[in-house]
Every structure is written in C-alpha cells, then in structure tokens.
C-alpha cells in the first residue's frame, strides 16, 4: 500500500505539472522574480572578485531558501495530505517553466516564418542570452532551438526530478540554483570568479535531469517524425565536446532527433564562443523550431510521468537500502 505522504507528493508533482501546462508562469508577483530581487540586493553587499565570496553568496541565499521551504513543507505535512499535496503542487508549478518556453518558441517560429527579423531579434532575449544584433534568420533559429532543447531539461525535467526526490523544498531549492546560475554563473568579467560556485552547483543539480531529458528525447523523437537512432548517435558522438556537461547532452539529442546541425560560433554579450557542431544535417529553420517545441512538449510530459513513478519507487526503499515491506 502506498503511504499517504507518498501519494500526496506524487499527486503534487503531477498537479504542479498540470498547473504549468494550463497556466504557465504567473504574469505578476512570480516568486522566482522575488528571489532574484533578493539575490541582486545581496550581491551588492557580497560581491568580490573571488570564488570564496561567490560561494558564500550562493550558500547564504540557498540556505535561507531551503530553510524557509522546509519549514513550510513541515507545516503542510502536519496539516494533512491535502495541504501537503497543495504545497508540493505549488512549489512544482513555481519551479517549472515549460509552457512559457514552448509558447515563446512557437512565437519565435511564427516571426521567422513571417520574415520578421526585427521582431525575432526583440524576442530572442526571452529565450537565451545570445546577442541578437549579429544574428540573421538562420542564426536566430539555431539559437532558439538550442535554448528550447537546453531549457527542456533545466525548466522542466530537472525540477520535476527534484520535486519527486525532495518535495517542495527540493523543487524550490533547485529553482534557486538555476536562477543564481542565470544571474551570475556566466563568464563575463564581473562574474568569472564570483559566479564560479553558482555555475558548478548548477552543473551538479542538472546532471541527472539532462540525462533523463536525453533518454526521453530519444524515446519521443518518432512522435515528431524524428529519428531515435539519430538522437542517440548524436548524443554519444557530440555531447562530450560541448562546453557544458549537461546542455551538450540535450542539444545533441535534439539535433540528432530533428536531423539538423546545432552548435558552432555562438556570440553572447560578453564573449564569442567557438563551440563544436552537434548533429549532422542542415541548419535549423522555422519548421524545425516548431518540431523542436512539440518534441519538448512530449519530453516534458514523459518527465512528469517518470517523476511521479520515481516518488513511488523512492518510498519503497527502506533506510537500510532494501525495499520496505508492509507489516503482516
């Protein structure tokens, strides 16, 4: 028999996914924006050009977030299964961003199909940190598809896994890690040393999620007319050459699934990165971006089902590592 707490967490994970599917991100008063505001204020006090200062900054913010989330989760557990389910669902919804990602990717495909380069350049910062000023239509399509692939893992698969493993605190702390990485975890002069800890913690937090996203991309590729073998081949051949240990997995799998080539020279506002190519095929076009969005949707749904199953699996493991058995 599945314990009530396990049922509450599994239901909360699925309800949080459905809330994101139906409601997307809240337009106003998003808790993540509030955390970002607090982090930016703290940075004015903690910033130094050193890794130690950056590590202290991250520890302070994540420690506070984790403690607050744990207290709220404990109160929900004491209040009963309904409140516990609600807490997990709310935290999961806050941590997810899959529907907003899909809507933005679809909007970008529409702009590219209409040859609205100016509109596409204006929308691109909503997807990624590339400098759109130097990108033509092909460059924007590639940047958008790479962002859809990477954020399928970061904005959906990984937070669902963390919600399954850690409930509401797991989901919220993961989203805090991801937010700090996006704020300070890049290689600009200001954050090269200060943001080192945020970037490394984000790599660890996303490691399993990226690989589950890769597996689900392989499995779901035929649903968009893509190639499962192509996705697996590109993942095994190209992912390790990407500068990110996690983004390379999902971007390579998406490239192989869709039969396109990603990677190559990538310009951010603070630097130009010469990245290796991922996959084998032509440069992606607007139609490929649309297929990528649909593939992302399928991967997100698969991740939600997998995460709910993971809750049940974890609940059956006793403290000594053996499966727990019900008492006679």
């Amino acid at each position: 028999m599945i314990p009530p707490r396990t049922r509450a967490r599994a239901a909360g994970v699925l309800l949080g996914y459905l809330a994101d599917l139906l409601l997307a991100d809240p337009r106003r008063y998003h808790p993540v924006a509030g955390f970002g505001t607090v982090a930016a204020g703290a940075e004015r006090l903690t910033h130094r050009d050193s890794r130690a200062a950056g590590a202290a900054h991250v520890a302070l913010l994540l420690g506070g977030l984790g403690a607050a989330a744990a207290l709220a989760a404990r109160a929900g557990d004491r209040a009963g299964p309904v409140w516990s389910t609600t807490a997990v669902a709310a935290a999961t919804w806050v941590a997810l961003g899959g529907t907003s990602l899909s809507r933005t990717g679809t909007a970008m495909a529409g702009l590219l199909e209409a040859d609205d380069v100016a509109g596409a350049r204006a929308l691109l910062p909503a997807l990624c940190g590339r400098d759109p000023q130097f990108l033509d239509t092909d460059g924007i399509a590639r940047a958008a598809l790479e962002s859809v692939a990477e954020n399928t893992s970061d904005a959906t698969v990984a937070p669902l896994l963390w919600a399954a493993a850690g409930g509401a605190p797991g989901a919220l702390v993961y989203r805090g890690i991801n937010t700090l990485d996006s704020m300070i975890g890049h290689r600009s002069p200001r954050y090269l040393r200060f943001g080192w800890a945020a970037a490394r913690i984000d790599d660890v937090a996303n490691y399993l999620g990226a690989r589950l996203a890769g597996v689900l991309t392989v499995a779901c590729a035929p649903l968009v007319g893509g190639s499962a073998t192509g996705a697996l081949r590109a993942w095994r051949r190209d992912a390790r050459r990407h500068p990110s240990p996690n983004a390379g997995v999902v971007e390579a799998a998406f490239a192989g699934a869709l039969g396109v080539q990603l990677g190559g020279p990538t310009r951010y506002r603070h630097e130009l990165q010469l990245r290796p190519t991922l996959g084998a095929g032509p440069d992606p076009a607007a139609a490929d971006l649309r297929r990528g969005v649909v593939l992302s949707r399928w991967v997100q749904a698969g991740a939600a089902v997998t995460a709910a199953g993971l809750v049940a699996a974890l609940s059956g493991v006793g403290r000594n590592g053996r499966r727990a058995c019900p008492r006679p």
Side-chain angles (χ1 to χ4, degrees):
M1 182 176 180
I2 300 177
R5 182 175 296 181
T6 299
R7 291 199 301 269
R9 183 179 294 185
V13 169
L14 290 175
L15 287 172
Y17 165 74
L18 292 175
D20 177 69
L21 193 64
L22 297 174
L23 304 175
D25 290 328
R27 294 183 179 275
R28 300 179 63 185
Y29 308 117
H30 198 304
V32 174
F35 177 78
T37 300
V38 172
E43 183 186 332
R44 288 194 288 270
L45 301 175
T46 60
H47 184 272
R48 304 288 187 279
D49 188 22
S50 75
R51 289 183 176 182
H57 175 78
V58 170
L60 173 68
L61 289 165
L62 294 183
L65 177 62
L71 288 174
R74 189 173 302 173
D77 288 342
R78 287 198 297 265
V82 172
W83 287 105
S84 181
T85 299
T86 302
V88 175
T92 303
W93 176 40
V94 166
L96 294 175
T99 295
S100 293
L101 173 69
S102 300
R103 290 178 179 176
T104 307
T106 300
M108 179 65 79
L111 292 170
L112 294 174
E113 288 167 345
D115 292 324
D116 186 356
V117 179
R121 285 174 176 161
L123 182 61
L124 189 63
L127 281 171
C128 61
R130 310 287 174 83
D131 189 342
Q133 178 182 353
F134 299 98
L135 297 178
D136 57 10
T137 300
D138 290 343
I140 293 172
R142 176 172 72 85
L145 182 54
E146 289 173 357
S147 180
V148 166
E150 179 181 2
N151 285 292
T152 296
S153 174
D154 290 0
T156 301
V157 180
L160 284 168
L161 285 183
W162 278 94
L172 293 177
V173 170
Y174 168 79
R175 189 59 193 264
I177 292 171
N178 192 245
T179 301
L180 289 175
D181 178 61
S182 68
M183 293 178 68
I184 66 173
H186 43 82
R187 298 177 62 84
S188 65
R190 177 177 173 84
Y191 296 122
L192 184 61
R193 293 169 60 83
F194 183 76
W196 179 87
R200 297 293 77 77
I201 292 173
D202 185 74
D203 286 342
V204 173
N206 279 293
Y207 187 86
L208 293 179
R211 279 135 191 91
L212 175 59
V215 170
L216 292 172
T217 300
V218 172
C220 296
L223 299 176
V224 296
S227 170
T229 57
L232 183 59
R233 186 183 306 114
W235 175 1
R236 295 180 63 183
R237 183 189 63 219
D238 300 331
R240 63 181 179 273
R241 299 189 292 125
H242 194 282
S244 167
N246 299 321
V249 171
V250 195
E251 291 180 21
F254 263 66
L258 299 173
V260 298
Q261 181 174 283
L262 301 176
T266 302
R267 178 176 288 278
Y268 292 90
R269 289 181 175 84
H270 54 276
E271 67 175 341
L272 173 66
Q273 294 184 5
L274 299 177
R275 293 185 176 181
T277 56
L278 308 172
D283 292 334
D288 300 305
L289 177 57
R290 283 195 182 277
R291 292 172 63 218
V293 170
V294 177
L295 178 58
S296 174
R297 285 287 202 182
W298 280 112
V299 171
Q300 293 173 39
V305 174
T306 302
L310 179 62
V311 174
L314 291 175
S315 71
V317 178
R319 291 184 179 180
N320 62 357
R322 299 178 180 178
R323 290 196 63 81
C325 296
R327 294 182 179 180

